[in-house]
Amino acid sequence: MKGLVVVLLGLALVSAIGASPARRPVVPAMFVLGDSTLDVGNNNHLPGKDVPRANEPFYGIDFPGGARATGRFSNGYNIADFVAMHLGFERSPLAYLVLKSRNYLIPSALTRGVSYASAGSGILDSTNAGKNIPLSKQVQYFASTKAEMEVVWGRRKVSKHITNSFFLLGTGSNDLFQTKPKSQADVAALYATLVSNYSAAITDLYRMGARKFGIINTGPVGCVPRVRLLNATGACNDGMNRLAAGLAAAFKSGLATALAPTRLPDLMYSLADSFAASQANFDNPQASVFKNADSACCGSGRLGAEGKCMRNATLCSDRDAYAFFDNVHPSQRAAEVSAQALFVDGPTKITAPISFKELGEKR
Ligand SMILES: *[C@@H]1O[C@H](CO)[C@@H](O)[C@H](O)[C@H]1NC(C)=O
Ligand SMILES: *[C@@H]1O[C@H](CO)[C@@H](O)[C@H](O)[C@H]1NC(C)=O
Ligand SMILES: *[C@@H]1O[C@H](CO)[C@@H](O)[C@H](O)[C@H]1NC(C)=O
């Protein structure tokens, strides 16, 4: 059965490569909130030496158009870029703090969108506090972007712009990395807090006019090389995966309730089960599209996961064959495969109730 899933995902992939991306975006803009899987450079503009940043080689070594570290935790594009491409954009909108520093926030917000995603951030303000832009702050930055857009375009036009825009959200893993719940009651309390704070953030965006939400659920964090390293056999940490799967299930039911049409009319969302999508690669390495699904391409020591990905690290040569680029983050190729799965309709779809594709095209 698991083998079958992998094969089917593989087929979906083949058909995607044949299709050229839409020329015209299906939405007027894209706004991105979340963590390092989506960050395109915000953290480079945050002060503090403990801020996680992907600002030096070998990050970006395969970045299209010329190797350069852009703040993406990838050898090239990340998931936000591929989602943007599927929607018809060239790549992810630029990072909020980059746009601010170039005095280009509003032109971008009105034509392509803005990314508020920040590596290390979680749903809770307390997650890696002081070293990232937490979700609540990302929402505030969107509120100030909206106010600035209104100065230029007026309320009515901005309202229409926001209503039709695509809001991409991906967060929650860092909240799990940070906590060690001791009892079932602790776990239940953690899930309840995360669901409630996530729903609150989405509801705030809704009140500001957002209607289309593409949400990437938490994945199998127990399978990243940095966690595998803790096990002598390099196995995934089942306890951590159970915790993540439980959170993904809590988000699924919690968001269905919190975002129900009776409460938030006209809100549309697509929730992606990234657990199901990536788990296939780890359960059955032989059938995986990646030759290597347990080690970091860039790093050092055992599983490439003991040392950071930096200038003096070891870099693999066949980067598309690795599921992970550094000891936590997907390679460009893995990001491409993941993003592709979000846009698949039909029997292999990992999104509910609709796919990212349907969400993007909805009027
Ligand atoms: C979670 O949400 C509550 C109320 O909705 C808020 O008071 C609190 O600051 C939030 N906590 C964090 C850590 O973000
Ligand atoms: C390492 O992984 C194996 C296989 O999943 C498991 O049986 C074992 O308990 C793990 N060891 C530790 C220390 O977690
Ligand atoms: C790379 O350099 C850093 C210091 O800049 C050092 O801590 C680390 O151990 C080095 N890694 C390797 C693999 O030599």
Side-chain angles (χ1 to χ4, degrees):
M1 184 56 205
K2 275 164 192 155
L4 181 67
V5 173
V6 176
V7 170
L8 291 174
L9 280 175
L11 286 179
L13 203 74
V14 171
S15 59
I17 292 163
S20 58
R23 287 250 154 62
R24 249 179 80 105
V26 297
V27 291
M30 178 173 157
F31 296 92
V32 185
L33 295 89
D35 60 25
S36 57
T37 55
L38 305 175
D39 191 348
V40 291
N42 274 309
N43 277 22
N44 286 350
H45 290 256
L46 284 183
K49 80 177 199 349
D50 294 331
V51 171
R53 298 186 188 92
N55 62 349
E56 60 166 277
F58 296 113
Y59 287 109
I61 182 152
D62 298 313
F63 196 75
R68 66 198 147 103
T70 60
R72 288 166 175 80
F73 287 77
S74 167
N75 50 312
Y77 285 144
N78 69 14
I79 293 173
D81 292 305
F82 289 111
V83 168
M85 281 180 233
H86 279 284
L87 294 173
F89 296 101
E90 196 188 338
R91 60 178 73 137
S92 166
L94 291 173
Y96 174 79
L97 295 179
V98 172
L99 290 165
K100 275 293 231 193
S101 74
R102 294 185 194 163
N103 216 354
Y104 198 68
L105 177 66
I106 298 313
S108 180
L110 294 173
T111 56
R112 295 171 58 190
V114 179
S115 173
Y116 306 91
S118 167
S121 72
I123 292 166
L124 304 180
D125 293 352
S126 54
T127 294
N128 301 318
K131 294 181 244 169
N132 61 68
I133 311 167
L135 183 61
S136 61
K137 187 91 181 264
Q138 295 182 30
V139 172
Q140 282 171 24
Y141 281 158
F142 175 72
S144 74
T145 306
K146 181 188 175 204
E148 284 189 58
M149 283 195 282
E150 286 175 347
V151 173
V152 178
W153 265 14
R155 291 185 75 152
R156 185 190 297 245
K157 216 170 153 194
V158 168
S159 160
K160 191 164 169 237
H161 181 68
I162 295 175
T163 299
N164 292 321
S165 290
F166 194 101
F167 285 73
L168 173 65
L169 274 59
T171 185
S173 300
N174 289 320
D175 300 290
L176 290 183
F177 274 127
Q178 257 227 160
T179 50
K180 287 217 166 36
K182 289 183 188 67
S183 64
Q184 274 311 309
D186 283 358
V187 172
L190 173 67
Y191 289 168
T193 305
L194 292 175
V195 169
S196 131
N197 283 61
Y198 206 2
S199 307
I202 295 170
T203 304
D204 283 349
L205 293 168
Y206 174 88
R207 296 218 175 95
M208 288 185 259
R211 291 295 178 271
K212 289 187 182 194
F213 294 91
I215 307 169
I216 301 176
N217 216 333
T218 46
V221 294
C223 289
V224 304
R226 199 177 77 191
V227 172
R228 287 174 183 268
L229 183 63
L230 306 174
N231 187 302
T233 67
C236 298
N237 184 315
D238 292 338
M240 208 155 184
N241 279 346
R242 269 196 302 276
L243 192 64
L247 180 60
F251 280 150
K252 191 168 185 183
S253 63
L255 294 182
T257 307
L259 312 181
T262 46
R263 302 176 67 142
L264 306 178
D266 300 327
L267 182 150
M268 296 174 279
Y269 75 92
S270 170
L271 179 64
D273 184 353
S274 60
F275 212 95
S278 38
Q279 190 67 5
N281 286 315
F282 304 130
D283 285 351
N284 192 350
Q286 282 76 37
S288 165
V289 296
F290 299 102
K291 267 195 296 215
N292 189 318
D294 65 1
S295 309
C297 164
C298 177
S300 59
R302 199 173 143 245
L303 299 175
E306 287 178 82
K308 283 188 176 168
C309 173
M310 52 197 296
R311 219 176 276 269
N312 61 351
T314 305
L315 180 72
C316 71
S317 54
D318 49 348
R319 292 183 282 280
D320 284 352
Y322 278 68
F324 292 98
F325 181 60
D326 67 11
N327 62 9
V328 176
H329 301 101
S331 63
Q332 169 173 255
R333 180 76 182 123
E336 183 176 23
V337 172
S338 306
Q340 165 57 25
L342 307 175
F343 284 82
V344 173
D345 292 323
T348 60
K349 92 176 191 180
I350 59 152
T351 47
I354 57 175
S355 70
F356 275 35
K357 181 166 178 284
E358 290 172 279
L359 179 67
E361 289 165 358
K362 275 234 163 156
R363 284 287 163 269

